[in-house]
Amino acid sequence: MIRVALRSLLGRKLRLLMSTFAIVLGVAFVAGSLVFSDTLGRSFTALFASAVGDVVVRPVGGTTVQGSPSTEILPAALVDELAEVPGAARADGNVTAVGVFVVDTDGKVVGGLGPPALGGNFNDAPAGHGLTGLTIQEGREPRAAGEVVLDERTADRAGYDIGDTVPFVTSTERPDLEAELVGIAEFAEGGSLNGATLAQFDTATAQDLFLGGRDVYNDVWVTAEDGVSQEELAERVREVLPAGVEAVTGDDAADESASDLLEAVSFLTTFLLIFAGIALVVGSFLIVNTFSILVAQRSRELALLRALGASRRQVTWSVLLEAFVLGLVGSTVGLGLGVLLAMGIRAVTATFGLDLTGQGLVFEPRTVLAAYAVGVLVTMAAAFLPAHRTGRIAPVQAMRDDVALPESSMRRRLVGGLVLVAVGLVALVAGLFADVPRAGWWVGLGVLAVLLGVAGASPVLSRPFLGAARAAYARVFGAVGNLAGQNGLRNPRRTTATASALMIGLTLACTMAILGASAKATVDRSVEESFVGDYVVSSAFGGEFSPAVADEMAEVDGVASVVRERFAFGARDGDDQGISATDPGSIDDLGLRLVEGSAAPLRDGTVVVQESWAEDEGVGVGDTVTLDLPAGEEQWEVVGIFEDNPIVFFPLLTTLDTLLSAGFPDRDNYVVVDAEPGATGVHERLEEVVADNPVVTVKDEAGFAAEQREPIDQLVLMVFALLGLALVIAVLGIVNTLALSVIERTREVGLLRAIGLSRGQLRLMITLESVVIAVLGAVLGVVLGTFFGVVLMRALRDEGLDVVSVPVGQLAAFLGVAIVVGVLAAVLPSRRAARLDVLKAIATD
């Protein structure tokens, strides 16, 4: 039986190739996601391991929740004291700044999105003991003001060589500066900054630029003498530290930094694995269809095996053996394609700033195990039902010409499908509206159950559609159309199984289209209702910029008022908490609508909170909000509650001085500018203020709304790109089903040709069959996608997404594309059918 199964498999290589491709894509997604995830993890771990000293001494609260430096600093005298600790070879003070952008030779900022633009001071600590594991490879270290060292990749991207003058844009009080490039640095052991840029100045210049000229540091790295461990040195260092200062080993500091960053980017792996699952589910429909058709075509062969003494179990396992081999082949090819996919993902993320091109791909054993487990198990699970039905074929029945595999009753399919739909709806409602753990899993499982339930019941649910299609075809195309419609009705299970693969892809595409359109409509309405002032000034990369920008704009002719807004992150009950701040006298200029309390008493140490946040947290006027901030734990009194407002990004609004005293730097995030009535040319004059600063932009209401919509557009576009692969699998399923159907009906095709059906009519018949399958899948997908999209938007009303927008034009375009897909999918099968020799086809057994 093993030899028979393998010989059968080799005899149908072309038929199984397209089914293997479906598994290849699914496995490639899984393998590529894991390879990229492991590469990302290894890269950041190696980076932070080389970016710390043996012992790191830092002020408590020296960094914000987001990892950027706070205003908490260390005195220079502490460096000399630490250098004298027994077991310390040396101590080096470090100045660290974020938002030090290199401007390239074309006047554009290098990087800016994703990884940070770092600045600081250069020191000559030994390689491997600090960020100067990134060592000078060309030129020399900076020795005086007006000199700078860049990392090699940044210098290459910006187009600068030794001796060139490099312009910078910073978020400090001196937003623009220039320095001569005197050195280029790179990692001695081939490491990478992963897309971040690095500019190192001499210590005095760095202190002047980033620490207000004070002789202080952000942290200190202590290098151990030979034979002294990090733990031993850390214990000795702690004995001399003043209150408010801590010492951690370099390994612990590196692990802490890497884990925080990896957690922040972990959504990439999750995102890709979700789409791997979608590809596998869609591919499973293709595998089920393929094995069902192949088993039907081999019914006489399998019946003969039964007549010769093979048991039901042997026949069933022979089909499963074919599936096992197919899974192995698909997994092997998918594993190789996954490596190429990981390289592609690495290249794509580099365009967004996360540059891992300097890192070799990490290929862990778990990737191989996952690839083969997924590929083989999915293939065998998909082939199980056809294999099980194989064993139930009666040998005498299978010898007949009109043999058909036993089908489950339509009633059983309908009942089973409806039960699965009901279970899915319950899970969906629980995940969206009930307080259940891991609500996202409930929603995902609910959506999957509904999709599978509809797919299971679709042979019954689709009968009216298929009947209407047959009638319409007969009316328009005559006898050829009637034949095409009858072929769709002949085996509704096969027709709907093929359509279901397309249904899943289009369901998710329609859902995302509705979510994206609704999110953008919500943004547009919120901006229209709440936009205050005439212009908004912000960083093009969502970061901070110098307060000098607002000071200059306040002096521009035609400007009536300038309102600063700043953002920061603290921690509340262990979770990140966003905070906004402005000047107390500018509350009215932000257009806040208070529903309780008053903004008038807003003063340092108090806060007004967003209405939806107050309801969720059970906070009212007079209560206190406890936050962990760089300067320590603080309690702010709630003095007012305001309606949600897009200009106030975070739900807590306090004063500028409160943020400064809490340890956050003196930087603006937004500036709202109000022009004097009747003033003209204000926009142009404001842009002149930031003409030499490519990081800062000036936008009116329309520009601000477009800026808020841009991330939504990018996310939806990325989702559509990934869903496109699932749709490719679905299209291959239609092609595969039609091709196998033609093979199965070879004698029938020959008879039709013999009684006068022309090649063109035969091609039209098969094309019409393909269009029915594609349109059925598209209709089911659009209906389910619309349902899921509207339900999800209703569930997100409390999150501020309270506008439901159904992009009718886009959904209609999906239906139009489905017709095109149906026509294209039929090209190869119809050509093959038209080229069949009539006499040989009639004689086919």
Side-chain angles (χ1 to χ4, degrees), residues 118-465:
L118 303 174
N121 66 319
F122 179 89
N123 67 55
D124 59 351
H129 294 277
L131 192 56
T132 45
L134 191 146
T135 57
I136 300 293
Q137 298 298 314
E138 183 180 353
R140 59 172 176 82
E141 71 279 1
R143 298 168 182 164
E147 297 181 344
V148 69
V149 167
L150 297 179
D151 66 279
E152 182 180 34
R153 187 159 183 79
T154 298
D156 288 342
R157 291 166 65 190
Y160 294 118
D161 294 314
I162 299 295
D164 291 342
T165 299
V166 181
F168 294 88
V169 176
T170 75
S171 57
T172 66
E173 287 73 12
R174 292 166 54 185
D176 57 309
L177 62 115
E178 293 182 340
E180 179 187 354
L181 182 61
V182 297
I184 295 176
E186 65 179 2
F187 280 94
E189 299 181 1
S192 170
L193 286 169
N194 300 334
T197 62
L198 177 67
Q200 293 182 312
F201 305 87
D202 69 284
T203 296
T205 299
Q207 289 174 328
D208 182 47
L209 289 173
F210 310 123
L211 295 174
R214 296 172 294 170
D215 191 15
V216 294
Y217 298 99
N218 294 104
D219 58 41
V220 178
W221 292 332
V222 184
T223 303
E225 292 179 342
D226 293 339
V228 178
S229 68
Q230 290 187 358
E231 290 76 10
E232 291 174 333
L233 182 59
E235 286 297 326
R236 297 172 186 175
V237 165
R238 292 187 186 106
E239 295 176 0
V240 302
L241 294 181
V245 181
E246 62 181 0
V248 296
T249 64
D251 291 341
D252 289 342
D255 291 343
E256 176 186 318
S257 299
S259 62
D260 288 344
L261 189 53
L262 287 174
E263 182 178 355
V265 299
S266 62
F267 76 93
L268 282 174
T269 303
T270 303
F271 192 71
L272 293 170
L273 288 175
I274 287 173
F275 282 94
I278 293 171
L280 288 171
V281 170
V282 174
S284 296
F285 280 94
L286 176 54
I287 298 297
V288 169
N289 246 11
T290 298
F291 274 91
S292 295
I293 298 173
L294 290 179
V295 169
Q297 292 172 358
R298 296 170 53 204
S299 57
R300 292 172 64 88
E301 172 192 333
L302 296 174
L304 183 60
L305 291 174
R306 291 288 311 283
L308 292 174
S311 66
R312 288 184 176 183
R313 178 174 297 181
Q314 285 178 312
V315 172
T316 300
W317 277 102
S318 70
V319 177
L320 288 177
L321 176 61
E322 295 182 28
F324 176 76
V325 175
L326 180 63
L328 283 178
V329 174
S331 298
T332 302
V333 178
L335 193 59
L337 186 61
V339 175
L340 296 178
L341 181 62
M343 296 172 63
I345 296 171
R346 185 176 62 177
V348 170
T349 57
T351 63
F352 291 96
L354 183 58
D355 191 352
L356 301 178
T357 53
Q359 296 290 325
L361 294 178
V362 177
F363 204 77
E364 297 286 353
R366 67 163 185 154
T367 301
V368 179
L369 294 176
Y372 281 101
V374 167
V376 173
L377 291 178
V378 167
T379 306
M380 294 190 69
F384 174 76
L385 289 178
H388 179 67
R389 289 198 299 267
T390 300
R392 295 161 53 193
I393 301 174
V396 175
Q397 179 189 12
M399 293 293 184
R400 302 202 312 263
D401 289 338
D402 60 345
V403 66
L405 281 176
E407 293 281 348
S408 300
S409 69
M410 289 298 181
R411 181 179 301 175
R412 186 183 306 170
R413 286 181 174 276
L414 179 62
V415 171
L418 293 180
V419 169
L420 200 54
V421 169
V423 171
L425 290 176
V426 170
L428 186 63
V429 170
L432 292 175
F433 302 104
D435 185 14
V436 294
R438 296 185 176 271
W441 285 97
W442 285 78
V443 172
L445 291 175
V447 169
L448 180 60
V450 171
L451 289 174
L452 295 179
V454 171
S458 57
V460 179
L461 299 177
S462 64
R463 275 191 175 276
F465 176 85

Side-chain angles (χ1 to χ4, degrees), residues 466 473 480-481 483-488 490 495 734 737-738 741-742 745 748 752 762-775 822 826:
L466 295 175
Y473 279 173
V480 174
L483 282 172
Q486 290 288 1
N487 287 334
R490 178 191 301 181
T495 300
I734 298 175
T737 297
L738 290 173
S741 179
V742 168
R745 294 182 289 159
E748 175 187 323
L752 289 173
L762 182 60
R763 284 195 293 266
L764 175 61
M765 181 186 75
I766 295 174
T767 300
L768 293 177
E769 291 179 36
S770 179
V771 170
V772 165
I773 295 173
V775 173

